[in-house]
Amino acid sequence: MEDDVLILAIESSCDETAAAVVKNGRIVLSNIISSQIALHTLYGGVVPEIASRKHMEQVIQVVDEALKEAKVTLDDITAIAVTYGPGLVGALLVGVAAAKAIAFAAGKPLIGVHHIEGHISANYIENKELEPPFGCLVVSGGHTHLVNVADYGKYEILGKTRDDAAGEAFDKVARAVGLGYPGGPKIDKLAKEGNPDAIEFPRAKVAGSEYDFSFSGLKSSVLNYINKCEMKKEAFDRADLVASFQNAVVDVLVTHAIHACREYNFEKFAIAGGVASNSALRSAMSKACEDNGIKFYHPSPILCTDNAAMIGAAAYYEYKAGVRSSWDLNAVPNLKLGEK
Ligand code: KG4
Ligand code: ZN
């Protein structure tokens, strides 16, 4: 027990206030998530000011609950970790201020964690044997990154989106067809009833950058399709439409991922982020990896969307590498992966 490293982690970068206690990077003792989704649904998306205020109300309760459920006190905790970027600045600041106050008062080290590093590290929790190097596709509401995880804490970004993130495209298309926010899970469900080959939507290639993504053209062609149908007063099958859209997103993601696996000789490939819980993406990636002799990893859905357990997992490896943040740690809304 003496050598165990217990991290209390806090995540508040978007619309989830979350705290977790993680032992030795891979064992989750508690994982508390207070979601604001119901609140933002009213407005069709996340309202930053409301998110910050709600985080303020929730953060201490969520931390208390995480400690209680883990059956530990602050004395047992080795270090306090917190997401400090990227994300909504006001939302991030709440977590950062809380983590600093707790760490300072308890005399514990503070570790600032990159949100995407957290998403990637979610894969360590249920896959105890997974170790770098591996390739990882991070697909969330704010990010679409293809990453070479060369080592713990060592990331090379191979490609990213030039415009909309994959999850953002899901959310915008869902809104256009009247499914509401957040759109990803709703499209995932409705697409199961549709034909993914009903409509041929474009698969964008980014000139000069084989691993980059672009989803705004796809989103526009879905919106154009809907407008044309409405102008001609023609009905369209919503399930077919969202299934075809989802198929186009998944196709591009899988093609890029497998291309990277071949070029970089990845023997292992993982997915992460909210969109990684998409059932079509999971089965297509799983099949493509199997066909190419690559071992495929993915977190459970609850560890794909924003949570603090993933921040605790990432923080463990930062802690082991000697990373400590100072008391002037600040929220960095556009923090780049690999930057300290
Ligand atoms: O990782 P996450 O919770 O937050 C960010 O860091 O952005 O991801 C949220 C995103 C939203 O865009 C949501 O629509 C999408 O993940 N998402 C999904 C699914 N579940 C969540 N997209 C497609 N299929 C899903 N099952
Ligand atoms: Zn996220």
Side-chain angles (χ1 to χ4, degrees):
M1 183 75 190
E2 257 169 41
D3 294 325
D4 283 342
V5 174
L6 251 63
I7 307 261
L8 168 66
I10 300 174
E11 154 66 43
S12 70
S13 66
C14 190
D15 58 352
E16 263 94 28
T17 322
V21 177
V22 179
K23 189 164 112 180
N24 301 332
R26 305 217 179 204
I27 301 162
V28 177
L29 302 185
S30 64
N31 186 25
I32 309 296
I33 305 166
S34 167
S35 175
Q36 306 177 359
I37 285 179
L39 202 64
H40 298 289
T41 302
L42 286 171
Y43 307 95
V46 179
V47 183
E49 182 60 28
I50 294 177
S52 318
R53 284 165 192 245
K54 204 67 197 162
H55 286 311
M56 289 274 281
E57 280 172 34
Q58 294 291 313
V59 69
I60 297 302
Q61 290 176 45
V62 166
V63 166
D64 281 346
E65 221 176 308
L67 291 170
K68 201 169 139 203
E69 197 176 299
K71 297 190 175 56
V72 296
T73 66
L74 268 181
D75 281 348
D76 305 315
I77 297 292
T78 316
I80 315 291
V82 64
T83 306
Y84 74 109
L88 302 169
V89 67
L92 288 164
L93 272 172
V94 177
V96 169
K100 280 203 264 189
I102 295 168
F104 187 79
K108 308 283 178 181
L110 175 72
I111 304 169
V113 174
H114 192 289
H115 184 74
I116 295 182
E117 177 171 24
H119 274 304
I120 295 169
S121 306
N123 278 286
Y124 298 138
I125 295 168
E126 294 158 311
N127 302 298
K128 308 289 182 218
E129 79 287 6
L130 176 63
E131 299 212 48
F134 59 92
C136 188
L137 174 72
V138 187
V139 269
S140 73
H143 315 280
T144 308
H145 281 41
L146 192 52
V147 182
N148 170 12
V149 183
D151 203 344
Y152 292 111
K154 203 166 158 229
Y155 307 98
E156 181 193 356
I157 300 171
L158 307 179
K160 56 184 172 182
T161 184
R162 292 289 179 99
D163 37 62
D164 291 350
E168 200 178 346
F170 269 94
D171 293 337
K172 286 176 177 169
V173 167
R175 192 180 310 159
V177 294
L179 285 175
Y181 170 85
K186 291 177 175 152
I187 288 187
D188 193 350
K189 194 162 169 245
L190 182 59
K192 291 194 169 82
E193 295 162 26
N195 172 9
D197 300 314
I199 309 159
E200 180 71 25
F201 286 124
R203 273 76 164 152
K205 282 203 167 66
V206 177
S209 184
E210 53 189 339
Y211 296 118
D212 277 352
F213 303 92
S214 168
F215 293 109
S216 72
L218 168 62
K219 173 199 67 192
S220 301
S221 60
V222 174
L223 299 184
N224 286 341
Y225 183 89
I226 298 171
N227 286 340
K228 270 193 202 142
C229 290
E230 281 170 356
M231 274 163 61
K232 288 194 262 170
K233 301 213 180 329
E234 274 174 20
F236 63 86
D237 187 311
R238 279 205 319 176
D240 281 353
L241 181 95
V242 297
S244 302
F245 156 76
Q246 179 175 270
N247 192 25
V249 175
V250 169
D251 191 12
V252 170
L253 294 175
V254 173
T255 307
H256 279 45
I258 297 300
H259 182 43
C261 285
R262 291 211 186 103
E263 292 286 306
Y264 285 81
N265 294 318
F266 292 134
E267 289 168 5
K268 297 171 260 181
F269 194 83
I271 55 173
V275 184
S277 55
N278 182 270
S279 55
L281 176 63
R282 285 161 98 96
S283 59
M285 274 304 314
S286 168
K287 183 174 184 310
C289 284
E290 202 184 320
D291 291 349
N292 287 277
I294 300 153
K295 187 126 181 33
F296 175 55
Y297 296 89
H298 56 79
S300 289
I302 192 68
L303 294 171
C304 286
T305 43
D306 289 349
N307 66 87
M310 67 184 198
I311 303 303
Y316 171 76
Y317 294 100
E318 296 288 349
Y319 177 83
K320 294 292 260 189
V323 173
R324 306 288 183 268
S325 300
S326 59
W327 299 123
D328 61 4
L329 180 73
N330 204 354
V332 185
N334 57 358
L335 185 67
K336 304 279 173 293
L337 188 64
E339 265 178 18
K340 294 282 180 221

